[in-house]
């Protein structure tokens, strides 16, 4: 299996990846094909696919923020079961992030991720791919060390229509498993930068940010 980076919508592997995304994610979570042009060309956004027998069988997008020494996992897709795609992507991503942090003369502090809560939202079947089942995903991510932030989380819809998307938790995986809280300022700054690409912010998101700005820290709770 190969770990291939995609940096252009002209890459034939990108269309295969985008088709896979549309199969497994809800419509409001998938950016339109043409709108991927700038993100893919952004050196700070790292999009990789797992290629097996010339087919895209998995994908992951993530980014590293050197000023905060943290990362964000945008998504991980496992397109087929029984190929070891999940461990393959996790290890390749971890190695890449460790190298990026080392170039920054740091050890990675941790990584954010938005994780579906299947106990609240039960209609995501992720294209019928059992490896992507939200109960399975949540348990796997808990085993990796992700913890949920103690807040009522929403995010702006990627349709940029000003709608709030709920049913997810904002989570953080600290490199040091003894870390039990993180700076509220870090969360606010990260979310403001991460969603700066979407000008239409829902009122619920703005209220969430304002509430975070009144706090010093945010607790990390079991997932």
């Amino acid at each position: 299996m190969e770990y291939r980076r995609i940096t252009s919508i002209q890459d034939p592997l990108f269309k295969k990846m985008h088709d896979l995304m549309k199969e497994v994610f809800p419509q409001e979570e998938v950016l339109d094909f043409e709108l991927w042009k700038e993100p893919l060309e952004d050196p700070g956004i790292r999009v990789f696919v797992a290629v097996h027998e010339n087919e895209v069988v998995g994908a992951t997008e993530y980014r590293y923020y050197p000023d905060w020494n943290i990362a964000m996992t945008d998504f991980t897709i496992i397109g087929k079961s029984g190929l070891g795609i999940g461990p393959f992507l996790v290890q390749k991503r971890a190695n890449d992030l460790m190298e990026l942090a080392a170039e920054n003369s740091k050890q990675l502090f941790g990584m954010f991720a938005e994780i579906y809560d299947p106990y609240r939202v039960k209609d995501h079947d992720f294209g019928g791919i059992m490896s992507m089942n939200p109960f399975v995903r949540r348990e796997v991510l808990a085993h990796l060390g992700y913890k949920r932030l103690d807040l009522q989380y929403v995010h702006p819809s990627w349709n940029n229509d000003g709608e709030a998307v709920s049913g997810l938790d904002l989570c953080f995986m600290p490199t040091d498993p003894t870390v039990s809280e993180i700076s509220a300022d870090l969360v606010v700054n990260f979310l403001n930068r991460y969603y700066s690409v979407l000008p239409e912010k829902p009122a619920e998101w703005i209220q969430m940010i304002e509430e975070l700005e009144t706090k010093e820290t945010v607790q990390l709770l079991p997932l």
Side-chain angles (χ1 to χ4, degrees), residues 20 24 57-59 76-81 85-86 89 129 131-132:
L20 185 60
V24 302
V57 294
T76 301
I77 298 174
I78 299 169
K80 289 186 178 180
S81 299
I85 298 166
L89 291 175
I129 299 171
S131 300
M132 294 288 291

Side-chain angles (χ1 to χ4, degrees), residues 164-214:
V165 177
S166 60
L168 302 97
D169 290 311
L170 181 62
C171 299
F172 189 75
M173 179 179 65
T175 302
D176 179 353
T178 66
V179 171
S180 61
E181 61 183 21
I182 58 176
S183 162
D185 281 347
L186 173 61
V187 180
V188 169
N189 290 335
F190 162 71
L191 288 175
N192 276 323
R193 184 184 298 183
Y194 187 71
Y195 283 108
S196 62
V197 68
L198 297 175
E200 299 297 328
K201 303 293 197 305
E204 297 94 326
W205 188 87
I206 293 170
Q207 181 180 355
M208 178 188 73
I209 294 294
E210 290 175 346
E211 290 177 0
L212 280 168
E213 289 173 336
T214 68

Side-chain angles (χ1 to χ4, degrees), residues 70-126:
I70 57 101
M72 169 64 176
T73 302
D74 297 325
F75 64 79
T76 301
I77 298 174
I78 299 169
K80 289 186 178 180
S81 299
L83 293 177
I85 298 166
F88 175 80
L89 291 175
V90 166
Q91 191 58 60
K92 290 291 188 181
R93 181 176 63 210
N95 291 345
D96 189 34
L97 286 169
M98 284 190 290
E99 290 179 6
L100 292 171
E103 291 171 5
N104 195 31
S105 302
K106 301 279 181 63
Q107 180 181 6
L108 185 70
F109 177 58
M111 182 158 42
F112 284 105
E114 294 174 334
I115 299 174
Y116 286 97
D117 182 355
Y119 300 97
R120 284 185 287 156
V121 180
K122 303 183 186 299
D123 60 348
H124 293 325
D125 65 2
F126 292 95

Side-chain angles (χ1 to χ4, degrees), residues 40-83:
L40 288 176
E41 294 172 354
D42 185 336
I45 298 177
R46 307 180 73 79
V47 179
F48 286 83
V49 291
V51 180
H52 177 69
E53 297 179 348
N54 204 37
E55 291 299 322
V56 171
V57 294
T60 184
E61 175 184 314
Y62 53 97
R63 56 194 83 192
Y64 174 66
Y65 298 88
D67 44 348
W68 302 320
N69 189 37
I70 57 101
M72 169 64 176
T73 302
D74 297 325
F75 64 79
T76 301
I77 298 174
I78 299 169
K80 289 186 178 180
S81 299
L83 293 177

